[in-house]
Every structure is written in structure tokens, then in C-alpha cells.
């Protein structure tokens, strides 16, 4: 009989004596024979019977005095250890304990004993000369049955906490109405915007106890732990702290993890951090800049990975009542709302109790340095929270003390809401269609329609608009295109929708770009461009695909010729499908490829092998 087993039995019985309403749920998991101690087994059996009587009799009195009388009336009071043992059981649960865990331990010990008994029985039979194959088969069968029985009696792993056991608490503020204390918050913004300067300002306020720009600092001065993966301690962090008037004796910057071959990660090193916190009892703040540098092997884009990592950090913050601020960058997806712009998984924003953005304030005054805005992206506990404006003056964060009312989404999307950006994209799509339109005309018409230059440019990026300088051709009207010279003209950029966007609505093989108009203009840039090879397909699969898309090789040749003219090509290489390209309207100039080095190698090395040539590749024009 093991002391641990008896200890679990006493804890369970003590809890059942105090809370006999729990007898029914425990009885579905363990029976009297699960107990190793005879006295405990008898008492548990009596408690089960006592509970049954409670169900049958409506006015059944349920208290410890009545239980004692009931046991004495049945002649079982002495068998269960008498008054002294019942008092001892009561005392085993004076402190809060996880009774379900001890019930599960009793159950596991019971099935372990059963398994040992079965194994011992078959081992004895084997020593008495029984056949090995038959014994193994029987042993496996009994163990499988025991496993199934154990699974049926397993303790339910789900745990719920009754709200009657939860004490309601008011939110404690680190920065009143902005950053809650003892929780995880995020500060996000583009690189170089001033996030690190702002965290140094926060550290200075905490180490000195100075008031916030908009509220009183209600926290006692305390220490700050700093994890910085990007900034130099000597050239950036220390000078910024000094300029903010921080008490540097209370700021501790992470140096290294004294474990060979290991780096500090939130996922694996929190236990070491908690041990270190025992030496810094006045720690008020931990800063991770950037927080993504300390995720270890966790994928920053995986919701489940990030939530798993941040859960431990949240629990440490709550347990120690230490505020944690994670610094991160915005993603490049400018069309998203600010709450979805934090780099990596949305779990960063979801896990943080407050998220603040640092952005640049737009100004129309030429030469004026724009201020920074500290704006709310998300706040679970704040009430009617507004933003603040600050400037960076000689390395110091200087708030002007005025609250600002700005829509963070509108600021980050160039002054337009997502709905307005969608309108601009729809307008641009309709304006371009399948044509190539001069960029100047598009921007001018867009401005007349109420869209700014920046908005049209963003819409063009979202739609994947192709922006290319026009290719024009010199020569007289009616002159064959093969004798003209292609030129590029300055200030003649044209915009076109992508081929893929057009083909979603026009799957046929027509030219999705449309030819530019060819006009007689002075050439300021003249050059010759050609692809190495133009083929509808070499393999059978490629040929079949080409026929499926274009209908015939002749249509492919015409399409390819027009497309090459469109992109300033005026010739095709010596390895091209010359016969097809020769018969198109406005054919390309055919360019022979002379193999000088091969001839030289043959003459010097007497090599007779040459690359195979295609007999059908006759020049389209000489």
C-alpha cells in the first residue's frame, strides 16, 4: 500500500464528507473496490448508501451529526474509524485541493494494480508449463478488456469554474484609460515612426513616477525589463532614456540567456524570466521590441502558434501584475483596416487588451514637420478613448497635451475609407477597360471624378495595372511595319489592366491589351529589341494547349506579333517559328543568330558535333 494512494483516498473522502452532493459524480468514476485501505473502502461504501437514502427520503436530514447517528445505527461507526478518523479526514481538506485530480489518481492506481495482477497470474501459469502462444493470447485479451474498462471510467477532462467562486474586480490602469495594468498591450507602426522613442518615454515615466500627459500616474515608481532586438544599448537606448530623464538604475536590458546554444524565446524561456523577476520585486513593465523577434520556432503568421506563445506571457503578466508591451510593425497591406494591419497573425491584436498605433499626422503646410499621432486601434476596457499628438524634439517625446479625434483607418488609407477606395478601383476598372490609356488622362479624369492622385495610384496597384511607356513607329503612312523603327517617347506612359483580369471576362484569344496608335513623331530613343525564340509550343502538350487557347497557330502568330510590337519589340530571334511569323500583318524583323564560337571551336578542336538546327527556320525577311 503506497502512502500517495492512501493520501488521495483521504482527500477524496474528506471532500465527500463536507460536500455530499459530489458523491454521485464521484461514484460514476470509482467504486469501493478502488480503495486500497479497508477502512476507506468501508466509509466510501457507507457514503454511497447514505446518498441513496437521501434520494429516497424527502425530509432526509443531511449534516455530519445525522451522518454519525446513521453510521452508529447501522453498526458501522467503529468500522469507519470512529470520531477521530472522521475529524482527521475533515482536516485533510482545510486547504483548497483539486479533488478531481485525486479521484483520477485513485482510478489509475486501481487499474495499475489490476494490470499487475493479470500479468502476475499469467507469469505464474507460464512457470507452471503452460503454452506461451496461448498465454500471450489470453494476456492480450484481458489487458485489452482492462483498457476498455479504464477508458469507460475515465475522469472527464473538461473543467468549468462556477462564477460564484470568482471575485469581480475593477480594472487597474498602467496608463489611465489607455493601457491596463497586468496585461498585454501592443504598440504598432511603420519602421522609423518613433515607436521605440515612445516606449523609452513610457519607461521613463514608470521609473520616475512622473504623470502622464493626460492623466495622473497612480503607480509607484518601479523597474522595467527591456528586450530589444533592433536598437543598440550604447547608441540608442541609453541616450534616449537619459534624454527622457529616466532613472536608468531601474531599467534592465536583456543581455543573454546563460544556456549553451539557446536564445531567449517567450515559448521556452518564461520560467527563466519568472525566476529573474524574483530578484526584481518592483518590476512594473516588460517591453519586447519587436515582439516577433522572441517567438522562437512559432510561426508568427499562425493563429494557433501565436496564441499558444502569448498565453503564457498573458498568464505571467496577470500573476505578477506586470504590464507587458509588445512592439510590432504594420504589414504592407494598406487597404486593410488598422485592426488587421499588425504584422503577422491577427492573434497579436486579439490577445492584446489594448493596441495603439503610431502614425504621422498629415499636414498641408509646406516645410512644416509633421507630428506623430498616438491613436487607439483596439481597447477592451477604455471608455471613449481619444488619441494624443506628440513630436520628437532633440530625442525627446513631447506631447502637446491636447486630445485628437482622428479615424485611424482613414489616416492609414490616405484619407479615404475602404468603401471610397473600392469606389476608386471600380471607376478605374471601368475607365481602362481593355484599352491602353495615357496615365495623364487617367489621373486628370480621376481628379475630376473626386479621387486624389494618391487614391488612383493605390487603386492601380490593387488592380495590378500595367504601366509602360508607349512604343511608337517612324515611317510614312502605309509603309510596311517591317521597315519602321520602334521608339520610346518620354512622358507617354500608358495604363492597362492585366491580361489575367481581362481574360476572366474574355476567355477568347483576342488581344487583351489593344494596339497603341502608331503616329509619326520625332524619335528621341532608337533601339532594336528581340526575343530569342517565339514558338506556339515544342511539346505535344504545349501545342494542344496553344490550339485550345488561340484556335490555330496562325492566330497565335498574329497575337504574338501584336503583343511584341505593343511592348517595343521589333524583331524575333533566329530560333523563332519564322514561317508563321512571316505571314502575319506587319511582320516582325527576323534576326539570324550566327554561331561564331561554335565555328571557332570546330576549327581549333576538330569537333564535329554542333547543336541541332531547325530546317524550317527560314528568315521572315532578309
Amino acid at each position: 500500500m503506497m502512502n500517495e494512494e492512501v493520501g488521495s483516498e483521504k482527500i477524496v473522502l474528506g471532500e465527500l464528507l463536507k460536500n455530499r452532493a459530489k458523491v454521485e459524480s464521484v461514484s460514476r468514476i470509482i467504486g469501493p473496490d478502488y480503495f486500497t485501505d479497508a477502512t476507506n473502502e468501508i466509509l466510501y461504501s457507507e457514503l454511497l448508501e447514505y446518498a441513496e437514502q437521501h434520494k429516497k427520503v424527502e425530509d432526509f436530514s443531511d449534516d455530519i451529526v445525522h451522518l454519525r447517528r446513521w453510521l452508529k445505527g447501522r453498526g458501522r461507526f467503529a468500522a469507519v474509524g470512529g470520531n477521530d478518523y472522521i475529524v482527521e479526514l475533515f482536516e485533510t481538506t482545510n486547504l483548497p485541493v483539486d479533488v478531481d485530480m485525486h479521484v483520477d489518481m485513485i482510478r489509475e492506481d486501481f487499474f495499475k494494480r489490476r494490470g499487475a495482477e493479470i500479468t502476475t497470474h499469467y507469469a505464474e501459469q507460464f512457470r507452471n508449463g503452460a503454452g506461451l502462444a496461448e498465454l500471450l493470447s489470453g494476456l492480450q485479451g484481458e489487458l485489452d478488456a482492462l483498457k476498455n474498462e479504464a477508458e469507460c471510467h475515465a475522469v472527464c477532462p473538461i473543467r468549468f469554474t462556477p462564477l460564484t467562486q470568482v471575485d469581480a474586480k475593477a480594472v487597474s490602469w498602467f496608463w489611465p484609460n489607455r493601457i491596463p495594468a497586468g496585461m498585454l498591450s501592443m504598440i504598432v507602426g511603420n519602421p522609423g515612426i518613433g515607436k521605440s522613442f515612445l516606449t523609452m518615454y513610457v519607461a521613463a515615466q514608470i521609473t520616475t513616477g512622473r504623470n502622464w500627459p493626460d492623466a495622473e500616474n497612480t503607480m509607484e515608481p518601479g523597474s522595467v525589463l527591456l528586450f530589444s532586438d533592433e536598437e543598440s544599448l550604447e547608441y540608442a537606448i541609453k541616450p534616449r532614456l537619459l534624454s527622457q530623464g529616466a532613472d536608468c538604475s531601474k531599467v534592465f536590458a536583456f543581455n543573454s540567456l546563460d544556456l549553451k546554444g539557446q536564445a531567449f524565446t517567450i515559448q521556452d524561456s518564461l520560467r527563466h524570466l519568472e525566476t529573474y523577476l524574483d530578484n526584481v520585486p518592483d518590476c512594473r513593465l516588460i517591453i519586447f521590441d519587436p515582439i516577433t523577434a522572441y517567438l522562437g520556432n512559432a510561426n508568427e503568421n499562425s493563429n494557433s502558434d501565436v496564441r499558444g506563445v502569448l498565453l503564457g506571457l498573458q498568464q505571467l503578466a496577470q500573476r505578477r501584475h506586470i504590464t507587458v508591451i509588445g512592439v510590432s510593425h504594420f504589414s504592407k497591406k494598406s487597404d486593410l483596416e488598422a485592426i488587421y494591419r499588425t504584422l503577422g497573425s491577427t492573434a497579436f491584436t486579439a490577445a492584446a487588451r489594448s493596441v495603439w498605433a503610431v502614425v504621422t499626422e498629415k499636414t498641408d503646410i509646406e516645410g512644416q514637420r509633421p507630428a506623430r499621432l498616438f491613436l487607439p486601434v483596439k481597447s477592451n476596457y477604455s471608455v471613449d478613448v481619444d488619441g494624443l499628438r506628440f513630436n520628437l524634439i532633440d530625442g525627446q517625446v513631447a506631447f502637446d497635451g491636447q486630445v485628437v479625434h482622428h479615424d485611424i483607418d482613414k489616416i492609414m488609407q490616405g484619407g479615404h475609407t475602404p468603401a471610397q477606395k473600392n469606389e476608386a478601383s471600380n471607376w478605374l476598372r471601368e475607365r481602362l477597360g481593355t484599352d491602353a490609356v495615357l496615365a495623364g488622362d487617367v489621373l486628370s479624369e480621376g481628379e475630376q471624378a473626386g479621387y486624389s492622385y494618391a487614391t488612383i495610384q493605390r487603386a492601380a496597384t490593387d488592380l495590378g495595372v500595367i504601366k509602360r511607356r508607349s512604343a511608337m513607329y517612324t515611317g510614312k503612312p502605309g509603309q510596311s511595319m517591317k521597315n519602321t523603327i520602334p521608339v520610346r517617347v518620354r512622358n507617354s506612359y500608358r495604363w492597362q489592366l492585366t491580361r489575367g483580369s481581362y481574360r476572366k471576362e474574355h476567355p477568347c484569344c483576342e488581344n487583351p491589351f489593344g494596339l497603341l496608335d502608331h503616329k509619326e513623331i520625332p524619335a528621341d530613343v532608337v533601339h532594336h529589341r528581340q526575343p530569342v525564340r517565339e514558338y506556339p509550343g515544342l511539346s505535344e502538350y504545349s501545342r494542344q494547349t496553344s490550339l485550345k487557347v488561340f484556335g490555330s497557330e496562325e492566330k497565335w502568330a498574329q497575337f504574338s506579333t501584336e503583343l511584341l510590337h505593343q511592348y517595343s519589340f521589333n524583331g524575333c530571334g533566329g530560333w523563332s517559328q519564322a514561317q508563321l511569323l512571316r505571314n502575319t500583318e506587319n511582320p516582325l524583323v527576323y534576326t539570324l543568330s550566327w554561331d561564331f564560337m561554335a565555328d571557332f571551336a570546330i576549327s581549333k578542336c576538330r569537333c564535329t558535333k554542333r547543336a541541332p538546327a531547325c530546317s524550317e527556320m527560314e528568315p521572315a525577311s532578309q
Side-chain angles (χ1 to χ4, degrees):
M1 184 188 306
M2 298 180 63
N3 292 332
E4 291 82 357
E5 297 177 14
V6 176
S8 294
E9 293 175 7
K10 288 184 176 181
I11 290 173
V12 171
L13 290 173
E15 179 66 20
L16 296 182
L17 286 171
K18 291 181 179 180
N19 182 13
R20 280 176 293 283
K22 198 173 179 65
V23 172
E24 184 176 357
S25 62
V26 173
S27 66
R28 290 195 294 266
I29 302 170
I30 59 176
D33 56 335
Y34 282 52
F35 288 79
T36 57
D37 184 84
T39 301
N40 293 339
E41 180 180 351
I42 295 172
L43 179 56
Y44 183 69
S45 299
E46 293 301 318
L47 287 174
L48 295 181
E49 182 63 28
Y50 186 77
E52 286 297 321
Q53 292 296 322
H54 189 280
K55 292 180 182 178
K56 295 176 183 179
V57 182
E58 293 183 3
D59 59 347
F60 190 80
S61 179
D62 185 15
D63 57 60
I64 192 63
V65 175
H66 187 274
L67 174 62
R68 289 174 179 173
R69 293 174 182 170
W70 189 80
L71 289 171
K72 290 179 179 179
R74 288 168 56 87
R76 308 292 285 175
F77 190 64
V80 299
N83 190 66
D84 292 340
Y85 191 61
I86 291 178
V87 172
E88 180 184 344
L89 293 177
F90 263 84
E91 292 177 348
T92 59
T93 55
N94 283 339
L95 298 176
V97 293
D98 188 348
V99 176
D100 291 332
M101 179 189 71
H102 288 281
V103 170
D104 194 40
M105 290 173 62
I106 294 173
R107 182 189 63 84
E108 288 185 0
D109 291 336
F110 170 74
F111 284 103
K112 286 179 181 178
R113 294 195 304 272
R114 286 275 304 277
E117 291 172 0
I118 293 172
T119 304
T120 301
H121 172 70
Y122 278 92
E124 185 66 27
Q125 288 190 352
F126 178 71
R127 283 194 294 268
N128 294 334
L132 179 60
E134 182 179 353
L135 288 176
L136 290 176
S137 177
L139 175 62
Q140 187 64 50
E142 290 202 36
L143 291 178
D144 289 341
L146 183 65
K147 178 183 176 183
N148 294 333
E149 183 181 353
E151 291 175 350
C152 292
H153 290 79
V155 176
C156 178
I158 300 176
R159 298 285 187 271
F160 287 88
T161 300
L163 290 186
T164 54
Q165 300 178 9
V166 178
D167 296 329
K169 297 180 180 179
V171 175
S172 176
W173 290 100
F174 177 84
W175 184 338
N177 206 37
R178 298 189 184 279
I179 299 177
M183 300 180 190
L184 170 67
S185 294
M186 295 285 294
I187 295 178
V188 294
N190 289 325
I193 197 69
K195 302 183 299 297
S196 296
F197 278 96
L198 186 60
T199 56
M200 295 302 100
Y201 168 83
V202 172
Q205 303 305 100
I206 289 300
T207 57
T208 60
R210 293 195 299 261
N211 289 333
W212 302 105
D214 61 330
E216 180 184 356
N217 188 349
T218 59
M219 302 191 72
E220 292 292 329
S223 297
V224 176
L225 299 189
L226 175 62
F227 291 82
S228 180
D229 187 67
E230 295 181 344
E231 300 288 3
S232 165
L233 297 180
E234 298 85 355
Y235 298 106
I237 292 176
K238 182 66 177 289
R240 291 173 185 176
L241 286 170
L242 291 175
S243 67
Q244 295 291 164
D247 182 354
C248 291
S249 67
K250 292 182 176 295
V251 180
F252 302 90
F254 173 74
N255 184 14
S256 65
L257 182 65
D258 192 17
L259 293 174
K260 293 183 178 179
Q262 291 190 22
F264 181 92
T265 64
I266 299 174
Q267 188 174 21
D268 301 322
S269 307
L270 279 184
R271 65 186 186 278
H272 303 307
L273 176 59
E274 188 138 20
T275 300
Y276 184 83
L277 286 172
D278 293 335
N279 302 319
V280 192
D282 66 337
C283 182
R284 303 280 186 267
L285 173 66
I286 302 176
I287 299 172
F288 290 93
D289 185 7
I291 194 169
T292 51
Y294 300 96
L295 296 182
N297 295 326
N299 182 357
E300 68 180 57
N301 297 307
S302 169
N303 194 288
S304 58
D305 282 10
V306 172
R307 283 185 180 274
V309 171
L310 296 184
L311 178 61
L313 193 59
Q314 290 172 295
Q315 292 174 342
L316 181 146
Q318 185 175 6
R319 186 168 56 250
R320 295 270 185 169
H321 198 66
I322 296 174
T323 303
V324 177
I325 294 180
V327 179
S328 188
H329 297 145
F330 280 132
S331 69
K332 297 179 181 179
K333 298 178 181 178
S334 59
D335 57 324
L336 296 179
E337 296 178 22
I339 200 168
Y340 301 114
R341 284 286 305 278
T342 301
L343 190 66
S345 169
T346 55
F348 286 108
T349 302
R353 297 299 84 192
S354 69
V355 179
W356 289 82
V358 180
V359 296
T360 302
E361 185 176 31
K362 306 300 180 183
T363 179
D364 296 328
I365 303 177
E366 186 175 354
Q368 179 177 343
R369 210 171 196 181
R372 270 77 165 176
L373 298 177
F374 185 55
L375 299 178
V377 176
K378 165 197 170 179
S379 185
N380 289 67
Y381 305 116
S382 302
V383 179
D384 298 329
V385 62
D386 294 309
L388 296 172
R389 182 187 292 108
F390 70 92
N391 289 282
L392 295 179
I393 303 175
D394 297 329
Q396 291 185 356
V397 173
F399 285 91
D400 62 9
Q402 301 295 319
V403 297
V404 293
H405 308 278
H406 286 295
D407 184 342
I408 180 64
D409 292 322
K410 191 171 183 179
I411 287 179
M412 294 182 64
Q413 295 177 8
H416 291 276
T417 63
Q420 291 172 316
K421 285 194 64 181
N422 290 335
E423 291 177 6
S425 297
N426 293 334
W427 177 88
L428 182 60
R429 186 185 292 106
E430 292 297 325
R431 175 62 186 87
L432 295 180
T434 60
D435 299 328
V437 185
L438 283 171
D441 294 343
V442 175
L443 295 170
S444 177
E445 294 175 24
E447 186 175 2
Q448 295 176 8
Y451 304 110
S452 67
Y453 174 91
T455 300
I456 296 296
Q457 290 285 5
R458 288 193 184 95
T461 301
D462 293 340
L463 292 175
V465 169
I466 297 175
K467 304 175 183 179
R468 296 190 185 274
R469 289 174 64 178
S470 304
M472 306 301 182
Y473 290 82
T474 61
K476 297 179 180 180
Q479 182 180 357
S480 174
M481 294 299 295
K482 66 183 179 181
N483 296 320
T484 62
I485 301 174
V487 298
R488 279 186 174 181
V489 184
R490 295 189 179 94
N491 303 321
S492 60
Y493 276 92
R494 292 179 182 255
W495 287 9
Q496 303 167 275
L497 287 175
T498 61
R499 177 178 177 180
S501 300
Y502 180 84
R503 281 200 166 180
K504 289 180 179 178
E505 300 178 1
H506 304 276
C508 63
C509 61
E510 296 178 2
N511 185 354
F513 296 97
L515 286 175
L516 301 177
D517 296 330
H518 303 304
K519 299 179 181 179
E520 292 187 65
I521 57 173
D524 57 357
V525 180
V526 180
H527 59 279
H528 180 73
R529 302 178 69 203
Q530 69 173 51
V532 176
R533 179 177 67 188
E534 272 295 293
Y535 260 97
L538 294 176
S539 68
E540 184 61 27
Y541 175 81
S542 297
R543 289 179 181 276
Q544 292 300 323
T545 302
S546 178
L547 290 174
K548 183 177 180 180
V549 173
F550 296 101
S552 67
E553 290 188 344
E554 289 74 17
K555 289 184 177 181
W556 163 83
Q558 185 62 39
F559 173 83
S560 299
T561 299
E562 293 174 351
L563 188 63
L564 289 170
H565 279 311
Q566 173 72 29
Y567 288 108
S568 304
F569 289 96
N570 65 333
C572 59
W575 292 91
S576 299
Q577 191 79 24
Q579 191 62 42
L580 283 172
L581 298 172
R582 171 190 293 166
N583 297 328
T584 62
E585 183 181 353
N586 298 327
L588 297 162
V589 176
Y590 182 79
T591 306
L592 293 176
S593 298
W594 293 97
D595 202 354
F596 295 106
M597 294 307 297
D599 291 337
F600 176 79
I602 291 173
S603 65
K604 292 295 183 182
C605 304
R606 298 181 181 179
C607 176
T608 58
K609 293 184 178 181
R610 300 189 57 170
C614 296
S615 60
E616 76 274 16
M617 293 182 185
E618 300 176 2
S621 61
Q622 300 293 340

